[in-house]
Amino acid sequence: MKRILVIGGGIAGTAAALALHKAGFDAAVHEAHPDTAEDIGAFLTLASNGMRALAQLDASDAVTSVGFPLSSMRLLDDRGDEVAHAPLGEAGDALLRYRCLRRGALNAALQAEVTRRGIGLSHGARLVSIENGPDRVTARFADGSAATGDLLIGADGLNSTVRRSIAPDVRPVYAGQRVFYGYARCAPAAEDTGHITMVRGGPAAFGYAVSPEKETYWFARVAGEALSADELAPRTPSPWRRQLVELLREDATLAADIVAASSDGIMVTNATEIPLGTPWRSGRTILIGDAAHAASPATGQGASMALEDAVILAKSLRDAPDVASAFTVYEACRRPRVEHNITVSGQISRGTRAPSRTGPAATTPRPGDDTLVAQLEWDTDIRTVAGSTD
Ligand SMILES: Cc1cc2nc3c(=O)[nH]c(=O)nc-3n(C[C@H](O)[C@H](O)[C@H](O)COP(=O)(O)OP(=O)(O)OC[C@H]3O[C@@H](n4cnc5c(N)ncnc54)[C@H](O)[C@@H]3O)c2cc1C
């Protein structure tokens, strides 16, 4: 049985481990953080395509135990008037419905599922280097330990160490927006549950969703120069609330009041993407998730794309006759689709493309939409539904 080292225990890495285990491989996850509590702050939405990938891993229950469902998206103009209200994705299917989750809760749920299935998961294992041999690959960690396997999957996110070993000159690129997140109890829209509301046409791309516990999860994407590491550092009280409230007061929606009602933990990050054409593989090593194709957050697809990667890579390794062909099939299935997402999301962030008026689920069709269901379906042979591998 092939032993596969998975570097990174985030969304891509944990899902890959579940998929590899289901396909009969001996997978082990090596995660840098000493516990699961990393990045508990930010939240994200999993779209129906990501939920479909989780269902193929028999992991829906693990994830629907956290977060809350979203059935539709409302679009407001800067006067607060509703200009669209449309169902989100496969809203009628309880397993495939969009879900809003704190990133830390999603990671913890997926890590718990990995452990529950008896898959190895070590924390505090920060990869520092890789040695690719003809038959084996060795990962070396900051604490002096090492692990050897037949393959290594780099699921170590935006600033991937694995990617540096494959493509040392590639750097993440700023996509023109700062992204703020926060949470508010007793916010003015607290009755507004079950959907995500987006405000467009104002000084920021603003969105919020209200949990069943009446907590408002909000984000604001604001054009500007990239923030420095010092400006990005968490601070209490946050210097951002006053600035955001002033900015958002320019429109007549609830946005400024929601931010004003927020707790101190306002987070900020730069919207960042990986350049198109970045190499994903070398020898016995391959990249998935943000390590391969991080996109700016405008389309809200990064986590869902990472989940798709996990299923399709495991199926490629299961179905192809050798590792090189498996990597080729995986890349043929994935590259057009994820690079389209980087492009569209980057254009929205840079203001050169208008976002869809009916929500992320209804953005222009993506490459691979027509074959995705078959590619994710666990029992189909990936080679019969892959795109061209020329
Ligand atoms: C502001 C913002 C908003 C977003 N909103 C959404 C959204 O609404 N919907 C959506 O689908 N996506 C969203 N995303 C994208 C989503 O968060 C990412 O696409 C997703 O987290 C990628 O998962 P990953 O596992 O590839 O990377 P990560 O989640 O970053 O996980 C990487 C893991 O690798 C570990 N690691 C890093 N270096 C090492 C090392 N050297 N050794 C060992 N382990 C290491 C890290 O600790 C981490 O646990 C958003 C992203 C941002 C920045």
Side-chain angles (χ1 to χ4, degrees), residues 2 4 20 23 25 151 153 286 312-324 326-327 330 382:
K2 279 199 172 63
I4 304 184
L20 292 164
F25 296 106
L151 299 177
I153 297 176
I286 192 151
I312 291 173
L313 177 59
K315 286 183 61 180
S316 301
L317 289 165
R318 179 195 68 185
D319 298 339
D322 54 56
V323 169
F327 285 0
Y330 164 75
I382 192 72

Side-chain angles (χ1 to χ4, degrees), residues 10 16 24 53 57 61 75 79 82 144 162 165 202 206 217 221 232 234 238 271 281 294 306 337 343 352 358 360 365:
L57 301 179
D61 286 353
L75 187 66
R79 295 184 306 277
E82 186 173 292
V162 180
S165 79
F206 188 83
Y217 291 37
R221 291 189 279 108
L232 292 170
S238 168
R281 51 182 162 144
R337 182 168 171 83
T343 303
T352 58
T358 46

Side-chain angles (χ1 to χ4, degrees), residues 205-229:
F206 188 83
Y208 67 88
V210 181
S211 76
E213 293 75 34
K214 311 291 183 210
E215 188 174 20
T216 302
Y217 291 37
W218 62 264
F219 71 85
R221 291 189 279 108
V222 182
E225 296 297 311
L227 295 169
S228 66

Side-chain angles (χ1 to χ4, degrees), residues 13-373:
T14 50
L18 296 175
L20 292 164
H21 180 73
K22 183 168 179 175
F25 296 106
D26 174 16
V29 181
H30 301 270
E31 163 57 43
H33 275 271
D35 54 48
T36 55
E38 185 247 342
D39 193 21
I40 47 174
F43 69 92
L44 53 76
T45 52
L46 279 184
S48 294
N49 52 312
M51 295 302 292
R52 181 179 291 281
L54 282 170
Q56 293 302 323
L57 301 179
D58 315 307
S60 306
D61 286 353
V63 169
T64 53
S65 64
V66 290
F68 55 94
L70 298 171
S71 298
S72 62
M73 193 190 97
R74 291 195 316 144
L75 187 66
L76 308 184
D77 65 19
D78 59 346
R79 295 184 306 277
D81 293 334
E82 186 173 292
V83 291
H85 191 165
L88 269 177
E90 299 181 58
D93 185 324
L95 284 188
L96 303 184
R97 206 169 279 157
Y98 271 58
R99 219 164 169 83
C100 185
L101 314 102
R102 293 193 190 227
R103 200 157 114 163
L106 175 60
N107 270 9
L110 288 170
Q111 290 188 4
E113 187 62 14
V114 164
T115 303
R116 194 183 71 77
R117 294 190 195 181
I119 303 167
L121 166 61
S122 38
H123 285 280
R126 179 170 294 281
L127 180 89
V128 288
S129 67
I130 298 169
E131 286 157 28
N132 246 310
D135 304 315
R136 308 280 278 164
V137 55
T138 299
R140 299 205 179 278
F141 300 99
D143 63 2
S145 64
T148 298
D150 299 294
L151 299 177
L152 182 145
I153 297 176
D156 50 345
L158 181 68
N159 298 306
S160 168
T161 302
V162 180
R163 188 183 61 238
R164 275 200 297 280
S165 79
I166 296 173
D169 298 332
V170 170
R171 298 279 179 280
V173 175
Y174 180 59
Q177 284 183 322
R178 305 150 173 199
V179 192
F180 299 87
Y181 292 94
Y183 302 92
R185 293 194 180 274
C186 312
E191 299 310 315
D192 209 6
T193 60
H195 47 256
I196 187 158
T197 300
M198 304 283 196
V199 180
R200 295 292 179 266
F206 188 83
Y208 67 88
V210 181
S211 76
E213 293 75 34
K214 311 291 183 210
E215 188 174 20
T216 302
Y217 291 37
W218 62 264
F219 71 85
R221 291 189 279 108
V222 182
E225 296 297 311
L227 295 169
S228 66
D230 187 43
E231 291 170 304
L232 292 170
R235 257 167 288 167
T236 306
S238 168
W240 298 113
R241 181 173 23 211
R242 188 182 48 78
Q243 291 179 38
L244 269 179
V245 169
E246 272 173 25
L247 180 75
L248 294 168
R249 285 272 177 242
E250 288 174 25
D251 69 35
T253 71
L254 293 175
D257 290 340
I258 291 172
V259 175
S262 300
S263 59
D264 259 342
I266 292 179
M267 291 148 284
V268 62
T269 181
N270 289 322
T272 312
E273 66 195 13
I274 296 294
L276 305 184
T278 293
W280 290 357
R281 51 182 162 144
S282 169
R284 305 189 149 263
T285 298
I286 192 151
L287 302 175
I288 63 171
D290 273 13
H293 51 72
S296 92
T299 55
Q301 271 289 329
S304 295
M305 292 282 166
L307 293 168
E308 291 180 5
D309 285 356
V311 174
I312 291 173
L313 177 59
K315 286 183 61 180
S316 301
L317 289 165
R318 179 195 68 185
D319 298 339
D322 54 56
V323 169
S325 336
F327 285 0
T328 300
V329 170
Y330 164 75
E331 192 164 348
C333 291
R334 302 305 298 151
R335 192 176 281 280
R337 182 168 171 83
V338 298
E339 293 202 336
H340 177 265
N341 184 52
I342 293 174
T343 303
V344 171
S345 216
Q347 289 170 344
I348 296 171
S349 289
R350 294 182 176 89
T352 58
R353 173 193 283 251
S356 160
R357 290 174 65 81
T358 46
T363 46
T364 48
R366 300 182 192 99
D369 275 352
D370 52 342
T371 46
L372 183 71
V373 171

